[in-house]
Amino acid sequence: PTACGWSPGGDIVFSSQLIPMIAIRVADGTSRPLTRTRLSGDVGRYDFGGFLPDGTRFVFRVAGGNAGGIYVGDLDDRDDPILLPDTQGTGIPLYAHGHLLWATERVLWARPFDAAKLAFTGEARSLSPHLGGNNRHGFSTSMTVPPTMVVSSDATITIQATLEVRDRQGRSKRTLAQDAVSFSIAPNGSTIAIARAGGVWVADLERSAPVRMTG
């Protein structure tokens, strides 16, 4: 897996090299491919971004093929993906609190976005100039108010990195993974999904050890 994210209904969607998007039901561990996210004739890389507020639609990026850009997909796998205009070359997106977030050139950007109309409503602005890497893997946020946001300043997060829980003074409490490829905080802000080379794991940020969700 390359990137993963939580739906409010308890599904984890992640990118795969063989099938663009796969959904896992956390309650029972069952998985299913989201086949309609595959664009006809395209051979590019697919990267999951994040869910929109309705909990069923999500954003993802296609890069390196003949149909690059940011798209909106459907967890129910009923509709073909919708291309958002003027998004060629944009990093892997994440929706949070009325904005799409993405990283390019190690800068974290935020642009106002109407999730109901699927349209941008303003210009992008910089949130952080020192992001580790140029993609979705270096940041994640919850949907709580105020949000829990995690930003990595370590560029190795885009390959494999140690993922730790730290207190507000920066002291390490415990290690969740030493080979994390990406991570995503659940909407409740207390659980995390961790994508590793061998699959996807889920852990409570305060207590439990990661539990493997994929076979």
Side-chain angles (χ1 to χ4, degrees):
T2 57
C4 59
W6 290 77
S7 79
D11 290 282
I12 297 174
V13 173
F14 64 94
S15 312
S16 169
Q17 292 181 345
L18 300 177
I19 301 172
M21 302 292 159
I22 296 175
I24 304 172
R25 188 68 181 169
V26 176
D28 57 17
T30 57
S31 64
R32 65 187 189 280
L34 303 181
T35 57
R36 296 190 75 119
T37 55
R38 169 69 76 183
L39 301 176
S40 177
D42 185 73
V43 294
R45 174 190 175 97
Y46 289 65
D47 295 295
F48 176 81
F51 280 95
L52 296 180
D54 62 13
T56 60
R57 293 182 300 174
F58 57 87
V59 286
F60 66 97
R61 182 188 70 164
V62 178
N66 56 9
I70 293 177
Y71 290 79
V72 176
D74 179 8
L75 182 61
D76 295 328
D77 209 27
R78 295 176 298 191
D79 301 317
D80 292 331
I82 299 171
L83 174 65
L84 299 182
D86 303 320
T87 53
Q88 177 70 38
T90 302
I92 304 171
L94 173 69
Y95 177 87
H97 302 280
H99 294 75
L100 283 188
L101 311 178
W102 69 83
T104 54
E105 302 300 325
R106 297 177 64 88
V107 175
L108 179 59
W109 296 92
R111 187 174 182 184
F113 182 72
D114 187 323
K117 297 180 180 179
L118 302 183
F120 292 110
T121 59
E123 297 302 315
R125 64 186 180 91
S126 169
L127 293 185
S128 173
H130 304 296
L131 191 71
N134 294 323
N135 55 36
R136 166 70 171 77
H137 307 156
F139 62 95
S140 180
T141 181
S142 72
M143 297 306 293
T144 56
V145 179
T148 300
M149 188 166 190
V150 177
V151 177
S152 170
S153 60
D154 181 358
T156 61
I157 191 70
T158 63
I159 304 173
Q160 286 186 344
T162 298
L163 190 62
E164 295 181 333
V165 177
R166 293 176 177 262
D167 62 22
R168 294 185 181 276
Q169 286 70 46
R171 296 174 298 219
S172 178
K173 298 172 64 176
R174 62 193 182 93
T175 298
L176 294 174
Q178 294 182 323
D179 56 352
V181 176
S182 71
F183 59 91
S184 178
I185 300 174
N188 62 17
S190 64
T191 313
I192 189 168
I194 307 165
R196 301 159 73 179
V200 176
W201 277 253
V202 170
D204 185 293
L205 284 171
E206 294 299 326
R207 295 182 296 276
S208 65
V211 176
R212 186 169 183 166
M213 298 298 299
T214 58

